[in-house]
């Protein structure tokens, strides 16, 4: 039986918990103190709620982050310093160059592992393979409904209540997108990490009042030729900002850990 520490107790974490493989034992949940009593009651004491990584924790087989950029900044260094395996869904946190380099150095020094999850997209194996030759261009477009962009940075760029047709409200690099839209642009960062980097990957963010999906399109050109991947994912019912596939990618890494498959 493999053990799991889950960072977060929001919509994505809830989805992951309901889908955990039987071979994974959830042992710790890093959550805000006001969630602790509910966690104790829900799991009848089998799961320990914590808000800091003290020295009394039994090392888990996997630490899984489902809580956002700030959680990565707060907990990732300690997790990696302890030699543990950390999978993160909030890959946009790695758009901070100094922070990313610090985490990479920690993995090398402490023989730990940092896994950026694929999240809401597919086809990243092809993107990684294309890097073996010369990639000349990677463009990523995120298209979501006004509800999916609401209560976030997008509202500084566009009046979501007045949009009547698909509208591009941001064009720039993956680094700019990840830093400016932390709740919505983790996929942009993931595409950049698997491909040609944060600054070379071009990103468009689109609000579309005619869609109910979270759509992702990746266009890649290079010596290998050209490929285009488009996904139209359903958002989590409890959080329209997040694609269900992103939560499923977190479940899938748990299943790989449980089966001791190659990561």
């Amino acid at each position: 039986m493999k053990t799991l520490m889950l960072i977060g107790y929001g919509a994505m974490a809830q989805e992951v918990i309901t889908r955990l493989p039987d071979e994974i034992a959830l042992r710790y949940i890093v959550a805000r103190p006001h969630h602790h009593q509910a966690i104790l009651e829900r799991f009848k004491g089998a799961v320990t709620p914590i808000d800091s990584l003290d020295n009394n924790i039994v090392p888990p087989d996997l630490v899984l982050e489902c809580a956002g950029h700030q959680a990565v900044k707060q907990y990732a260094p300690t997790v990696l310093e302890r030699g543990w395996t950390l999978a993160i869904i909030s890959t946009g946190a790695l758009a901070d160059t100094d922070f990313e380099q610090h985490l990479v150095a920690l993995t090398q020094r402490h023989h730990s592992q940092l896994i950026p999850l694929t999240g809401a997209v597919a086809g990243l194996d092809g993107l990684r393979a294309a890097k073996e030759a010369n990639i000349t261009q990677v463009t990523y477009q995120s298209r979501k409904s006004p509800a999916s962009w609401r209560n976030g940075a997008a509202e500084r760029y566009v009046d979501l209540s007045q949009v009547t047709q698909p509208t591009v409200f941001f064009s720039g690099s993956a680094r700019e997108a990840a830093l400016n839209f932390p709740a919505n642009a983790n996929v942009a960062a993931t595409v950049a990490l698997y491909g040609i980097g944060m600054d070379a990957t071009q990103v468009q963010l689109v609000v579309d009042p005619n869609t109910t999906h979270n759509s992702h399109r990746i266009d890649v050109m290079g010596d290998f030729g050209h490929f285009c991947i488009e996904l139209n994912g359903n958002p989590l019912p409890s959080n329209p900002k997040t694609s269900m596939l992103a939560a499923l990618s977190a479940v899938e890494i748990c299943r790989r850990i449980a089966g001791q498959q190659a990561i």
Side-chain angles (χ1 to χ4, degrees):
M1 181 73 72
K2 299 294 185 178
T3 57
L4 173 68
M5 173 187 291
L6 183 61
I7 300 177
Y9 199 59
M12 180 177 290
Q14 300 292 338
E15 189 73 20
V16 171
I17 289 169
T18 63
R19 295 176 180 271
L20 276 179
D22 293 338
E23 300 82 5
I24 287 286
L26 180 58
R27 289 287 184 256
Y28 302 99
I29 297 178
V30 181
R32 293 186 176 94
H34 67 267
H35 289 305
H36 287 193
Q37 188 59 40
I39 291 170
L40 288 170
E41 293 175 0
R42 176 179 180 179
F43 296 99
K44 298 178 172 54
V47 175
T48 302
I50 56 177
D51 55 13
S52 65
L53 303 182
D54 61 38
N55 292 321
N56 296 320
I57 295 170
V58 178
D61 294 297
L62 175 67
V63 181
L64 175 60
E65 173 274 320
C66 296
H69 290 200
Q70 186 53 47
V72 178
K73 293 287 184 76
Q74 183 174 353
Y75 297 109
T78 303
V79 170
L80 297 177
E81 284 172 357
R82 296 191 178 180
W84 299 347
T85 298
L86 171 64
I88 63 171
I89 198 69
S90 304
T91 54
L94 303 181
D96 180 332
T97 303
D98 292 340
F99 180 65
E100 180 194 19
Q101 291 176 349
H102 177 54
L103 294 188
V104 170
L106 289 175
T107 64
Q108 295 169 345
R109 188 178 310 136
H110 299 281
H111 306 288
S112 47
Q113 189 170 13
L114 175 64
I115 306 168
L117 295 176
T118 55
V121 292
L124 296 180
D125 53 343
L127 179 56
R128 187 161 50 191
K131 286 173 62 178
E132 296 298 323
N134 179 45
I135 295 178
T136 56
Q137 180 178 317
V138 177
T139 302
Y140 164 70
Q141 184 187 83
S142 174
R143 180 184 298 257
K144 300 181 182 181
S145 69
S148 294
W149 293 113
R150 207 172 298 284
N151 299 320
E155 294 183 318
R156 299 200 301 266
Y157 293 75
V158 62
D159 185 347
L160 298 174
S161 63
Q162 298 298 316
V163 173
T164 58
Q165 60 186 5
T167 302
V168 177
F169 63 87
F170 172 85
S171 295
S173 70
R175 189 181 307 281
E176 293 171 314
L179 292 174
N180 289 311
F181 302 90
N184 292 95
N186 285 312
V187 175
T190 302
V191 171
L193 290 168
Y194 276 78
I196 56 177
M198 294 282 183
D199 298 308
T201 303
Q202 295 302 301
V203 173
Q204 287 187 333
L205 304 181
V206 181
V207 56
D208 186 349
N210 303 313
T211 188
T212 58
H213 293 101
N214 291 348
S215 298
H216 310 275
R217 180 186 173 99
I218 307 169
D219 275 283
V220 182
M221 298 184 67
D223 291 349
F224 69 93
H226 168 252
F227 70 74
C228 173
I229 299 168
E230 183 168 349
L231 297 97
N232 297 296
N234 293 325
L236 286 177
S238 55
N239 183 1
K241 290 181 172 62
T242 300
S243 294
M244 181 176 289
L245 188 59
L248 297 180
S249 77
V251 175
E252 191 272 337
I253 189 65
C254 293
R255 193 172 299 282
R256 271 192 283 164
I257 290 290
Q260 295 183 321
Q261 301 171 25
I263 298 173

